[in-house]
Amino acid sequence: MNSRDCDFLLVSCTTLSSKKATYVYNNNKYDIQFTLPFSGAAAYLGSYVTQRGYTFDFINSFDEEKDMLKEKLKGNVKLVGITTKFVPELQKNALQLQQIVSFIRACNSKCEIVIGGLSFASLIQYETDSMRSLFMRIVGADYYINSFYGEESIVQLLNYKSGIGEISEVNNLFYKVKSNYLFTKQIVDYSNLEDNYIDWTVFKDRLGLQIPIRTAISCPFNCEYCSFPMYGGPYQVMSIRNIERELRTLAAVNPTALLQFIDDSFNVPLNRFKDILRMLIRNKFSFRWISYFRCIDTDDETIELMRQSGCIGVMLGIESGSQTVLHNMNKKVDHEKAKELIRKFRNAGILTYVFLLVGFPGETKQTIEETISFMNESCPTTYYMQMWNCQIGTPIDNKREQYKITGAEYNWKHYTMDSSTAQECIRYMRSKIQNTTDYLGDYAIFEFWYHFLRIGGKLDALKQIDIKLQ
Ligand code: SF4
């Protein structure tokens, strides 16, 4: 077996990219290299298959690591997996995936390819059999896993390819027979968090700055625009003992990592959240961390524990400054409490990143003004604004008649707005929201903040920094 040989090679697709930038602070010029966050799929799937006896390798980003992929494909690779990024239209996904499949086949005509992941499963969920079949033929992979988790199907497929069992024993699998795809059987295969412990030392040579950490699966809430709780299955949380065990393996190989707690409701319930914070402090980790944060009642002790444990930023899903829109979204945000929280986070030196969703049923010119007022009164550090995606299968999709919704994805109309008006509103809001920074977008603001803190930067100074991307 040569060093390139492996049983399972995972290729992650991501919309993110690394980039270089420069900025000036206190008359000094600084260079900064923004890196890609480590692939969560590689961490979770890699741990799962290696713990079951298979060798594993990965590509963190197809776009950025093609040469590395080419090199790895020179080896004897039993199976290549492709995780899908979320692009709403089936057609666009098909063309992007087709390019990746062709690239892999050109490098190694012998290895077989499987496509799966949450995005793929949600994408084909509501398609007809003929559309699914057309999609799979265009993309040209050998197998497709129709499951929101799929780790066990990958292991079953590796077993089959190692001569153990039959293809029909692999659950949730489309497999190719001549020019058609047959389906094995659909079973619910919710991942058990407690069994999916990650040993970060396995990835020690390729860990970058930002590391995704998952301590829960699914979500206990039920926002009307979101399909995640339906696909994610029952809400599960990892024991604090296991979180601690996992983080100790990371501290051994990457002690100053920037952790991204990727749970949608990391601070719920509050007592568990506080216990996690106390565990982080007790271990004297040198990590810095960021997370999503629900705007629920939060006492001062929690914010102090967050600060002491290394929190440098929180993402707040405020979505709208209008109670009418929030009511329609089934999103429980109290604006006065949210303003108070943003103020407390600012005082603690914790960056606040607010998400806004524009155009949800109930949105009007008036509610847009309410959102602008909320933003200008609360002054979060930065924000991200996007137009409502009228996604098939979300709870609101069952209320089309009630809200007079027509169209789908980013082309829609309902009783109070249409998608082109929403786009105009976004431009208008950008011109009216003041006192926040929105120069970097996506994840890079946290990475920048991590570096800026190390040179003694303060939150207030962030607004004056002119970052020039190269
Ligand atoms: S938007 Fe977030 S909080 Fe709401 S249901 Fe989805 S994952 Fe849960």
Side-chain angles (χ1 to χ4, degrees):
M1 182 164 166
N2 81 42
S3 59
R4 297 192 201 99
D5 292 354
C6 81
D7 294 321
F8 185 50
L9 172 62
L10 183 73
V11 180
S12 298
C13 304
T14 171
T15 48
L16 307 173
S17 60
S18 57
K19 47 199 168 199
K20 284 184 178 163
T22 56
Y23 68 98
V24 175
Y25 178 59
N26 279 346
N27 298 321
N28 292 317
K29 189 173 171 209
Y30 296 91
D31 294 318
I32 178 164
Q33 167 80 53
F34 294 103
T35 54
L36 282 180
F38 190 81
S39 159
Y44 292 100
L45 209 42
S47 299
Y48 199 87
V49 299
T50 49
Q51 282 162 17
R52 282 149 187 86
Y54 289 105
T55 53
F56 172 79
D57 205 347
F58 67 98
I59 291 294
N60 206 33
S61 159
F62 173 73
D63 288 338
E64 299 217 351
E65 296 178 342
K66 285 201 185 86
D67 289 344
M68 193 193 287
L69 176 57
K70 206 184 242 177
E71 198 53 36
K72 290 183 186 298
L73 287 168
K74 285 180 184 161
N76 189 1
V77 180
K78 206 175 266 175
L79 185 66
V80 179
I82 304 176
T83 61
T84 45
K85 65 185 172 188
F86 189 77
V87 179
E89 293 116 72
L90 199 64
Q91 201 185 355
K92 276 191 195 158
N93 273 281
L95 297 177
Q96 284 170 355
L97 287 170
Q98 184 194 46
Q99 282 175 5
I100 302 173
V101 168
S102 305
F103 182 92
I104 293 167
R105 296 228 190 275
C107 297
N108 183 333
S109 56
K110 289 201 188 119
C111 64
E112 289 196 303
I113 301 172
V114 57
I115 290 178
L118 193 142
S119 303
F120 171 74
S122 51
L123 197 68
I124 64 161
Q125 183 86 340
Y126 297 97
E127 294 296 343
T128 59
D129 286 348
S130 59
M131 277 304 285
R132 285 179 183 187
S133 180
L134 180 64
F135 174 89
M136 291 190 274
R137 282 203 306 271
I138 290 173
V139 172
D142 301 286
Y143 307 102
Y144 298 84
I145 292 177
N146 183 15
S147 160
F148 295 102
Y149 294 101
E151 294 101 332
E152 190 49 30
S153 295
I154 291 287
V155 169
Q156 289 168 346
L157 191 54
L158 286 166
N159 288 346
Y160 163 72
K161 289 184 65 59
S162 309
I164 306 165
E166 301 294 325
I167 189 75
S168 56
E169 291 166 13
V170 182
N171 298 320
N172 304 324
L173 187 79
F174 286 101
Y175 63 102
K176 202 171 176 182
V177 177
K178 296 188 180 152
S179 57
N180 283 323
Y181 286 88
L182 300 183
F183 191 62
T184 53
K185 58 179 175 297
Q186 191 85 54
I187 64 145
V188 174
D189 64 344
Y190 297 138
S191 220
N192 184 341
L193 252 189
E194 285 298 282
D195 295 343
N196 282 340
Y197 155 74
I198 295 179
D199 177 356
W200 289 99
T201 59
V202 171
F203 307 98
K204 66 176 184 301
D205 298 327
R206 294 177 56 199
L207 292 172
L209 175 68
Q210 297 188 64
I211 306 294
I213 303 289
R214 184 171 66 178
T215 82
I217 282 186
S218 197
C219 174
F221 298 97
N222 194 19
C223 304
E224 289 281 331
Y225 55 85
C226 178
S227 54
F228 186 58
M230 290 183 320
Y231 300 147
Y235 183 56
Q236 297 176 46
V237 295
M238 189 188 259
S239 64
I240 293 175
R241 187 176 47 85
N242 260 1
I243 302 170
E244 184 172 22
R245 191 160 71 136
E246 200 173 295
L247 290 178
R248 283 182 179 171
T249 69
L250 181 61
V253 289
N254 194 1
T256 55
L258 173 56
L259 313 183
Q260 288 177 284
F261 287 101
I262 56 176
D263 312 343
D264 277 274
S265 306
F266 187 44
N267 60 316
V268 178
L270 196 61
N271 284 343
R272 174 181 181 267
F273 181 55
K274 283 187 184 181
D275 286 344
I276 293 174
L277 302 178
R278 290 188 188 107
M279 177 273 289
L280 292 173
I281 295 167
R282 193 172 60 241
N283 277 276
K284 298 192 172 71
F285 290 131
S286 307
F287 302 128
R288 294 288 173 267
W289 63 269
I290 59 173
S291 75
Y292 294 99
F293 193 93
R294 293 282 303 191
C295 291
I296 55 166
D297 281 327
T298 308
D299 53 28
D300 292 348
E301 183 197 18
T302 304
I303 294 184
E304 180 53 22
L305 288 171
M306 290 171 73
R307 193 191 63 74
Q308 281 181 27
S309 61
C311 179
I312 64 165
V314 285
M315 292 167 272
L316 309 171
I318 305 278
E319 315 303 351
S320 171
S322 153
Q323 281 301 334
T324 310
V325 176
L326 287 178
H327 173 79
N328 290 354
M329 287 177 174
N330 192 26
K331 186 107 195 173
K332 289 169 188 57
V333 174
D334 179 318
H335 287 124
E336 290 314 309
K337 284 184 184 159
K339 280 182 202 164
E340 180 68 2
L341 258 178
I342 290 171
R343 189 185 62 75
K344 286 183 175 174
F345 281 134
R346 190 184 310 117
N347 291 344
I350 294 173
L351 183 152
T352 46
Y353 187 125
V354 164
F355 289 98
L356 297 176
L357 195 59
V358 179
F360 196 77
E363 190 87 275
T364 61
K365 297 266 164 76
Q366 170 60 31
T367 62
I368 293 289
E369 293 298 338
E370 290 174 45
T371 302
I372 294 169
S373 299
F374 170 81
M375 292 297 283
N376 287 339
E377 284 162 25
S378 58
C379 303
T381 321
T382 186
Y383 67 100
Y384 181 75
M385 195 162 34
Q386 64 179 341
M387 184 166 79
W388 171 53
N389 173 7
C390 177
Q391 220 185 320
I392 309 291
T394 49
I396 188 84
D397 189 40
N398 295 324
K399 298 181 179 166
R400 283 182 165 261
E401 217 169 294
Q402 180 184 343
Y403 293 117
K404 299 189 174 54
I405 302 171
T406 54
E409 293 169 354
Y410 294 106
N411 193 357
W412 46 257
K413 189 173 186 332
H414 54 65
Y415 77 119
T416 54
M417 196 170 270
D418 61 34
S419 47
S420 36
T421 310
Q423 266 165 351
E424 280 167 30
C425 289
I426 286 177
R427 279 191 288 274
Y428 171 73
M429 291 166 83
R430 235 176 227 126
S431 71
K432 294 286 174 191
I433 295 174
Q434 288 150 3
N435 295 323
T436 62
T437 49
D438 67 345
Y439 47 24
L440 273 173
D442 58 54
Y443 65 97
I445 185 69
F446 291 110
E447 191 167 347
F448 179 75
W449 179 223
Y450 175 95
H451 287 286
F452 194 50
L453 272 171
R454 295 194 150 211
I455 60 162
K458 297 273 182 285
L459 266 182
D460 289 345
L462 264 181
K463 294 192 186 79
Q464 287 113 48
I465 302 285
D466 185 16
I467 300 177
K468 299 215 182 314
L469 290 171
Q470 294 172 346

